[in-house]
Amino acid sequence: MLAETICSAVSAAGLGIAAITAYRRRFLTATRIAAYSLVPVGLVMTGVVAWVSGIVFKPTVWAGFGLLAIAWLLFMTTRAVERRSGTTREERKAARAASSETAVAPGSSSPALTSGNPAADTRPRGAARKKETAAGGEDFSDIEAILKKHGI
């Protein structure tokens, strides 16, 4: 009951200020002030004020907010531990995908697709790889593995 009275008083004061502003020939500003001043009465009439005041004074609602805060704290703690360990979800997902996709081309001694780990990749890089393909012919094992994977 007190909240409804306060909202009505705020609306009446706002409408009074809007009337004074309109008297000064600032009609656009007066209309905006009138619109803002009607909001509290609208909230009272729709029951939003009673609903909010009912929520504020119930202990079970505050216990629910406490549980939500604890859940958020647990989520943030697990994220912090995950970051500190150095592995992220993306890294674990990439590692799982790489371990399941070890495609080996026929006649090839190593997988055509590496796991993304540079230490595990034994093929030469850069100039040494160019020399290897130029000296021993072209190496199409990667392309052959892709084509076999797609059934071509």
Side-chain angles (χ1 to χ4, degrees), residues 53-116:
S53 64
I55 285 177
V56 170
F57 297 115
K58 286 185 180 177
T60 55
V61 172
W62 287 105
F65 282 129
L67 288 176
L68 287 174
I70 290 171
W72 179 80
L73 185 67
L74 290 173
F75 279 126
M76 292 301 114
T77 303
T78 57
R79 294 292 299 230
V81 169
E82 188 176 66
R83 285 189 189 133
R84 185 172 281 186
S85 68
T87 59
T88 62
R89 277 184 269 164
E90 290 82 18
E91 290 174 353
R92 288 193 304 268
K93 188 183 285 186
R96 263 186 268 134
S99 67
S100 66
E101 295 179 6
T102 55
V104 178
S108 163
S109 62
S110 66
L113 303 174
T114 62
S115 64

Coordinates of all heavy atoms in Angstrom, one line a residue, residues 53-116:
S53 N 7.6 -6.1 -4.7 CA 7.6 -6.0 -3.2 C 7.4 -7.4 -2.6 O 8.0 -7.6 -1.5 CB 6.6 -5.0 -2.7 OG 5.3 -5.5 -3.0
G54 N 6.7 -8.3 -3.2 CA 6.5 -9.6 -2.7 C 7.8 -10.4 -2.8 O 8.1 -11.2 -1.9
I55 N 8.6 -10.2 -3.8 CA 9.9 -10.9 -4.0 C 10.9 -10.4 -3.0 O 11.6 -11.2 -2.4 CB 10.4 -10.6 -5.4 CG1 9.6 -11.5 -6.4 CG2 11.9 -11.0 -5.5 CD1 10.0 -11.3 -7.8
V56 N 10.9 -9.1 -2.7 CA 11.9 -8.5 -1.9 C 11.9 -9.0 -0.5 O 12.9 -9.2 0.2 CB 11.8 -7.0 -1.9 CG1 12.7 -6.3 -0.9 CG2 12.2 -6.5 -3.3
F57 N 10.7 -9.3 0.0 CA 10.5 -9.6 1.4 C 10.3 -11.1 1.7 O 10.0 -11.5 2.8 CB 9.3 -8.8 2.0 CG 9.5 -7.4 2.0 CD1 8.7 -6.5 1.2 CD2 10.5 -6.8 2.7 CE1 8.9 -5.2 1.2 CE2 10.8 -5.4 2.7 CZ 9.9 -4.6 1.9
K58 N 10.6 -12.0 0.7 CA 10.5 -13.4 0.9 C 11.9 -14.0 1.1 O 12.8 -13.8 0.3 CB 9.8 -14.1 -0.2 CG 8.4 -13.9 -0.3 CD 7.8 -14.7 -1.5 CE 6.3 -14.4 -1.6 NZ 5.7 -15.1 -2.7
P59 N 12.1 -14.7 2.2 CA 13.5 -15.3 2.5 C 13.8 -16.4 1.4 O 15.0 -16.6 1.1 CB 13.4 -15.9 3.8 CG 12.1 -15.5 4.4 CD 11.3 -14.9 3.4
T60 N 12.8 -17.1 0.9 CA 13.1 -18.2 -0.1 C 13.7 -17.6 -1.4 O 14.5 -18.2 -2.0 CB 11.9 -19.0 -0.4 OG1 10.8 -18.1 -0.8 CG2 11.4 -19.8 0.8
V61 N 13.2 -16.4 -1.7 CA 13.8 -15.7 -2.9 C 15.2 -15.3 -2.7 O 16.1 -15.5 -3.6 CB 12.9 -14.4 -3.2 CG1 13.6 -13.6 -4.3 CG2 11.5 -14.8 -3.6
W62 N 15.6 -14.8 -1.5 CA 17.0 -14.5 -1.2 C 17.8 -15.7 -1.2 O 19.0 -15.7 -1.6 CB 17.1 -13.7 0.1 CG 16.5 -12.3 -0.1 CD1 15.4 -11.8 0.3 CD2 17.2 -11.3 -0.9 NE1 15.2 -10.5 -0.2 CE2 16.3 -10.2 -0.9 CE3 18.4 -11.2 -1.6 CZ2 16.6 -9.0 -1.5 CZ3 18.7 -10.0 -2.2 CH2 17.8 -8.9 -2.2
A63 N 17.3 -16.9 -0.7 CA 18.0 -18.1 -0.7 C 18.3 -18.6 -2.1 O 19.4 -19.1 -2.5 CB 17.3 -19.2 0.1
G64 N 17.3 -18.4 -3.0 CA 17.5 -18.7 -4.4 C 18.6 -17.8 -5.1 O 19.4 -18.3 -5.8
F65 N 18.6 -16.5 -4.7 CA 19.7 -15.7 -5.2 C 21.0 -16.1 -4.7 O 22.0 -16.1 -5.4 CB 19.4 -14.2 -4.8 CG 18.4 -13.5 -5.7 CD1 17.4 -12.8 -5.1 CD2 18.5 -13.5 -7.1 CE1 16.4 -12.2 -5.9 CE2 17.5 -12.9 -7.9 CZ 16.5 -12.2 -7.3
G66 N 21.1 -16.6 -3.5 CA 22.3 -17.1 -2.9 C 22.8 -18.3 -3.6 O 24.0 -18.5 -3.9
L67 N 21.9 -19.3 -4.0 CA 22.2 -20.5 -4.7 C 22.7 -20.1 -6.1 O 23.7 -20.7 -6.6 CB 21.1 -21.4 -4.8 CG 20.7 -22.1 -3.5 CD1 19.4 -23.0 -3.7 CD2 21.8 -23.0 -3.0
L68 N 22.1 -19.1 -6.7 CA 22.6 -18.7 -8.1 C 24.0 -18.1 -7.9 O 24.8 -18.3 -8.8 CB 21.6 -17.6 -8.6 CG 20.3 -18.2 -9.2 CD1 19.4 -17.0 -9.6 CD2 20.5 -19.1 -10.3
A69 N 24.3 -17.4 -6.9 CA 25.6 -16.8 -6.7 C 26.6 -17.9 -6.5 O 27.7 -17.8 -7.0 CB 25.6 -15.8 -5.5
I70 N 26.3 -18.9 -5.7 CA 27.2 -20.0 -5.5 C 27.5 -20.8 -6.8 O 28.6 -21.1 -7.1 CB 26.6 -21.0 -4.4 CG1 26.7 -20.3 -3.0 CG2 27.4 -22.3 -4.4 CD1 25.9 -21.1 -2.0
A71 N 26.4 -21.0 -7.6 CA 26.6 -21.7 -8.9 C 27.5 -20.8 -9.8 O 28.4 -21.4 -10.4 CB 25.3 -21.9 -9.6
W72 N 27.3 -19.5 -9.8 CA 28.2 -18.7 -10.6 C 29.6 -18.7 -10.1 O 30.6 -18.8 -10.9 CB 27.7 -17.2 -10.6 CG 28.5 -16.3 -11.3 CD1 28.5 -16.1 -12.7 CD2 29.5 -15.4 -10.8 NE1 29.4 -15.1 -13.0 CE2 30.1 -14.7 -11.9 CE3 30.0 -15.2 -9.5 CZ2 31.1 -13.8 -11.7 CZ3 31.0 -14.2 -9.4 CH2 31.5 -13.5 -10.5
L73 N 29.8 -18.7 -8.8 CA 31.2 -18.8 -8.2 C 31.8 -20.1 -8.6 O 33.0 -20.2 -8.9 CB 31.1 -18.7 -6.7 CG 32.4 -18.6 -6.0 CD1 33.1 -17.3 -6.3 CD2 32.1 -18.7 -4.5
L74 N 31.1 -21.2 -8.6 CA 31.7 -22.5 -9.0 C 32.1 -22.5 -10.5 O 33.1 -23.1 -10.8 CB 30.7 -23.7 -8.7 CG 30.4 -24.0 -7.2 CD1 29.3 -25.0 -7.1 CD2 31.7 -24.5 -6.6
F75 N 31.2 -22.0 -11.3 CA 31.6 -21.9 -12.7 C 32.9 -21.1 -12.9 O 33.8 -21.5 -13.7 CB 30.5 -21.2 -13.6 CG 29.3 -22.2 -13.9 CD1 28.0 -21.9 -13.6 CD2 29.6 -23.4 -14.6 CE1 27.0 -22.7 -13.9 CE2 28.6 -24.2 -14.9 CZ 27.3 -23.9 -14.6
M76 N 33.0 -20.0 -12.3 CA 34.1 -19.1 -12.5 C 35.4 -19.8 -11.9 O 36.5 -19.6 -12.4 CB 33.9 -17.7 -11.8 CG 32.9 -16.9 -12.5 SD 33.3 -16.6 -14.2 CE 32.0 -17.4 -15.1
T77 N 35.2 -20.5 -10.8 CA 36.4 -21.2 -10.2 C 36.9 -22.3 -11.2 O 38.1 -22.4 -11.4 CB 36.0 -21.9 -8.9 OG1 35.5 -20.8 -8.0 CG2 37.2 -22.5 -8.2
T78 N 36.0 -23.1 -11.8 CA 36.4 -24.1 -12.7 C 37.1 -23.5 -13.9 O 38.1 -24.0 -14.4 CB 35.3 -25.0 -13.1 OG1 34.2 -24.2 -13.7 CG2 34.7 -25.8 -12.0
R79 N 36.6 -22.3 -14.4 CA 37.2 -21.7 -15.5 C 38.6 -21.2 -15.2 O 39.6 -21.3 -16.0 CB 36.4 -20.5 -16.0 CG 35.1 -20.8 -16.6 CD 35.2 -21.5 -17.9 NE 35.9 -20.7 -18.8 CZ 35.5 -20.4 -20.0 NH1 34.4 -20.9 -20.5 NH2 36.2 -19.6 -20.8
A80 N 38.8 -20.7 -14.0 CA 40.1 -20.2 -13.5 C 41.1 -21.4 -13.4 O 42.3 -21.3 -13.9 CB 40.0 -19.5 -12.2
V81 N 40.7 -22.5 -12.9 CA 41.5 -23.7 -12.8 C 41.9 -24.2 -14.2 O 43.0 -24.6 -14.4 CB 40.8 -24.8 -11.9 CG1 41.6 -26.1 -12.0 CG2 40.7 -24.3 -10.5
E82 N 40.9 -24.2 -15.1 CA 41.2 -24.6 -16.4 C 42.2 -23.8 -17.1 O 43.1 -24.3 -17.8 CB 39.8 -24.6 -17.2 CG 39.9 -25.2 -18.5 CD 38.5 -25.2 -19.2 OE1 38.0 -24.1 -19.5 OE2 38.0 -26.3 -19.4
R83 N 42.1 -22.5 -16.9 CA 43.1 -21.6 -17.5 C 44.5 -21.8 -16.9 O 45.5 -21.7 -17.6 CB 42.6 -20.1 -17.4 CG 41.5 -19.7 -18.3 CD 41.3 -18.3 -18.2 NE 40.0 -18.0 -18.9 CZ 39.1 -17.2 -18.5 NH1 39.2 -16.6 -17.3 NH2 38.0 -17.0 -19.2
R84 N 44.5 -22.0 -15.6 CA 45.8 -22.1 -15.0 C 46.5 -23.4 -15.4 O 47.7 -23.5 -15.5 CB 45.6 -22.1 -13.5 CG 46.9 -22.2 -12.7 CD 46.7 -22.0 -11.3 NE 46.5 -20.5 -11.0 CZ 46.4 -20.0 -9.8 NH1 46.4 -20.8 -8.8 NH2 46.2 -18.7 -9.7
S85 N 45.7 -24.5 -15.7 CA 46.3 -25.7 -16.1 C 46.9 -25.7 -17.5 O 47.7 -26.5 -17.9 CB 45.3 -26.9 -16.0 OG 44.3 -26.7 -17.0
G86 N 46.5 -24.7 -18.3 CA 47.1 -24.5 -19.6 C 46.3 -25.1 -20.7 O 46.6 -24.9 -21.8
T87 N 45.3 -25.9 -20.4 CA 44.5 -26.6 -21.4 C 43.2 -25.9 -21.5 O 42.5 -25.8 -20.4 CB 44.4 -28.1 -21.2 OG1 43.8 -28.3 -20.0 CG2 45.7 -28.8 -21.3
T88 N 42.7 -25.6 -22.6 CA 41.4 -25.1 -22.8 C 40.5 -26.1 -23.4 O 40.9 -27.2 -23.9 CB 41.4 -23.8 -23.6 OG1 41.9 -24.2 -24.9 CG2 42.3 -22.8 -23.0
R89 N 39.2 -25.8 -23.5 CA 38.3 -26.7 -24.1 C 38.6 -26.9 -25.6 O 38.5 -28.0 -26.1 CB 36.8 -26.2 -24.0 CG 36.2 -26.5 -22.6 CD 34.8 -26.1 -22.6 NE 34.8 -24.7 -22.0 CZ 33.9 -23.9 -22.1 NH1 32.8 -24.2 -22.7 NH2 34.0 -22.7 -21.6
E90 N 39.0 -25.8 -26.2 CA 39.3 -25.9 -27.7 C 40.5 -26.8 -27.9 O 40.6 -27.6 -28.8 CB 39.6 -24.5 -28.2 CG 38.4 -23.6 -28.3 CD 38.0 -23.0 -27.0 OE1 38.9 -22.9 -26.1 OE2 36.9 -22.5 -26.9
E91 N 41.5 -26.7 -27.0 CA 42.7 -27.6 -27.2 C 42.4 -29.0 -27.0 O 42.8 -29.9 -27.7 CB 43.8 -27.2 -26.2 CG 44.4 -25.8 -26.5 CD 45.4 -25.4 -25.4 OE1 45.4 -26.0 -24.3 OE2 46.1 -24.4 -25.6
R92 N 41.5 -29.3 -26.0 CA 41.2 -30.7 -25.7 C 40.3 -31.3 -26.9 O 40.5 -32.4 -27.3 CB 40.4 -30.8 -24.4 CG 41.3 -30.7 -23.2 CD 40.6 -31.1 -21.9 NE 39.3 -30.4 -21.7 CZ 39.2 -29.3 -21.0 NH1 40.2 -28.7 -20.4 NH2 38.0 -28.7 -20.9
K93 N 39.4 -30.4 -27.4 CA 38.6 -30.8 -28.5 C 39.5 -31.1 -29.8 O 39.3 -32.1 -30.5 CB 37.6 -29.8 -28.9 CG 36.6 -30.2 -29.9 CD 35.6 -29.1 -30.2 CE 34.6 -28.8 -29.2 NZ 33.6 -27.8 -29.5
A94 N 40.5 -30.3 -30.0 CA 41.4 -30.4 -31.1 C 42.2 -31.7 -31.0 O 42.4 -32.4 -31.9 CB 42.3 -29.2 -31.3
A95 N 42.6 -32.0 -29.8 CA 43.4 -33.2 -29.5 C 42.6 -34.4 -29.7 O 43.1 -35.4 -30.3 CB 44.0 -33.2 -28.1
R96 N 41.3 -34.4 -29.3 CA 40.4 -35.6 -29.5 C 40.2 -35.8 -31.0 O 40.2 -36.9 -31.5 CB 39.1 -35.4 -28.8 CG 39.1 -36.1 -27.5 CD 37.7 -36.0 -26.8 NE 37.7 -34.8 -26.0 CZ 36.8 -33.8 -25.9 NH1 35.7 -34.0 -26.7 NH2 36.9 -32.8 -25.2
A97 N 40.0 -34.7 -31.7 CA 39.7 -34.8 -33.2 C 40.9 -35.3 -33.9 O 40.8 -36.1 -34.8 CB 39.3 -33.5 -33.7
A98 N 42.1 -34.8 -33.5 CA 43.3 -35.3 -34.2 C 43.6 -36.7 -33.9 O 44.1 -37.4 -34.8 CB 44.5 -34.4 -33.7
S99 N 43.3 -37.2 -32.7 CA 43.6 -38.6 -32.4 C 42.7 -39.5 -33.1 O 43.0 -40.7 -33.4 CB 43.6 -38.8 -30.9 OG 42.2 -38.7 -30.4
S100 N 41.5 -39.1 -33.4 CA 40.5 -39.9 -34.1 C 40.7 -39.9 -35.6 O 40.2 -40.7 -36.3 CB 39.1 -39.6 -33.7 OG 38.8 -38.3 -34.2
E101 N 41.4 -38.9 -36.1 CA 41.5 -38.7 -37.6 C 43.0 -39.0 -38.0 O 43.6 -38.2 -38.7 CB 41.2 -37.3 -38.0 CG 39.7 -36.9 -37.8 CD 39.5 -35.5 -38.2 OE1 40.4 -34.8 -38.7 OE2 38.4 -35.0 -37.9
T102 N 43.5 -40.1 -37.7 CA 44.9 -40.4 -38.1 C 44.8 -41.2 -39.4 O 44.7 -42.4 -39.5 CB 45.6 -41.2 -37.1 OG1 44.8 -42.4 -36.8 CG2 45.9 -40.4 -35.8
A103 N 44.7 -40.4 -40.5 CA 44.6 -41.0 -41.8 C 46.0 -41.3 -42.4 O 46.9 -40.4 -42.3 CB 43.9 -40.0 -42.8
V104 N 46.3 -42.5 -42.8 CA 47.5 -42.9 -43.3 C 47.3 -43.3 -44.8 O 46.5 -44.2 -45.1 CB 48.2 -44.1 -42.5 CG1 49.5 -44.5 -43.1 CG2 48.3 -43.7 -41.1
A105 N 48.1 -42.7 -45.6 CA 48.0 -43.0 -47.1 C 48.7 -44.3 -47.3 O 49.7 -44.6 -46.7 CB 48.6 -41.8 -47.9
P106 N 48.3 -45.0 -48.4 CA 49.0 -46.3 -48.7 C 50.4 -46.0 -49.1 O 50.7 -45.1 -49.9 CB 48.2 -46.9 -49.8 CG 47.1 -45.9 -50.1 CD 47.2 -44.8 -49.2
G107 N 51.3 -46.8 -48.6 CA 52.7 -46.6 -49.0 C 53.4 -45.5 -48.2 O 54.6 -45.2 -48.4
S108 N 52.7 -44.9 -47.3 CA 53.3 -43.8 -46.5 C 53.7 -44.3 -45.1 O 53.1 -45.2 -44.6 CB 52.2 -42.7 -46.3 OG 52.6 -41.8 -45.3
S109 N 54.8 -43.8 -44.6 CA 55.3 -44.3 -43.4 C 54.8 -43.5 -42.2 O 54.9 -43.9 -41.0 CB 56.9 -44.2 -43.3 OG 57.3 -42.8 -43.5
S110 N 54.2 -42.3 -42.4 CA 53.6 -41.5 -41.3 C 52.2 -41.0 -41.7 O 51.9 -41.0 -42.9 CB 54.5 -40.4 -41.0 OG 54.5 -39.5 -42.1
P111 N 51.4 -40.6 -40.7 CA 50.1 -40.1 -41.1 C 50.2 -38.9 -41.9 O 51.1 -38.1 -41.8 CB 49.5 -39.8 -39.7 CG 50.3 -40.5 -38.7 CD 51.6 -40.7 -39.3
A112 N 49.3 -38.7 -42.8 CA 49.3 -37.6 -43.7 C 48.8 -36.3 -43.0 O 49.3 -35.3 -43.3 CB 48.3 -37.8 -44.9
L113 N 47.9 -36.5 -42.1 CA 47.4 -35.4 -41.3 C 48.0 -35.5 -39.9 O 47.8 -36.4 -39.2 CB 45.9 -35.4 -41.2 CG 45.2 -35.4 -42.5 CD1 43.7 -35.6 -42.3 CD2 45.4 -34.1 -43.2
T114 N 48.7 -34.5 -39.5 CA 49.4 -34.5 -38.1 C 48.4 -34.0 -37.1 O 47.4 -33.4 -37.4 CB 50.6 -33.6 -38.1 OG1 50.3 -32.3 -38.4 CG2 51.7 -34.1 -39.1
S115 N 48.8 -34.2 -35.8 CA 47.9 -33.8 -34.7 C 48.0 -32.3 -34.4 O 47.4 -31.9 -33.5 CB 48.2 -34.6 -33.5 OG 49.6 -34.3 -33.1
G116 N 48.8 -31.6 -35.1 CA 49.0 -30.2 -34.8 C 50.1 -29.9 -33.9 O 50.4 -28.8 -33.5

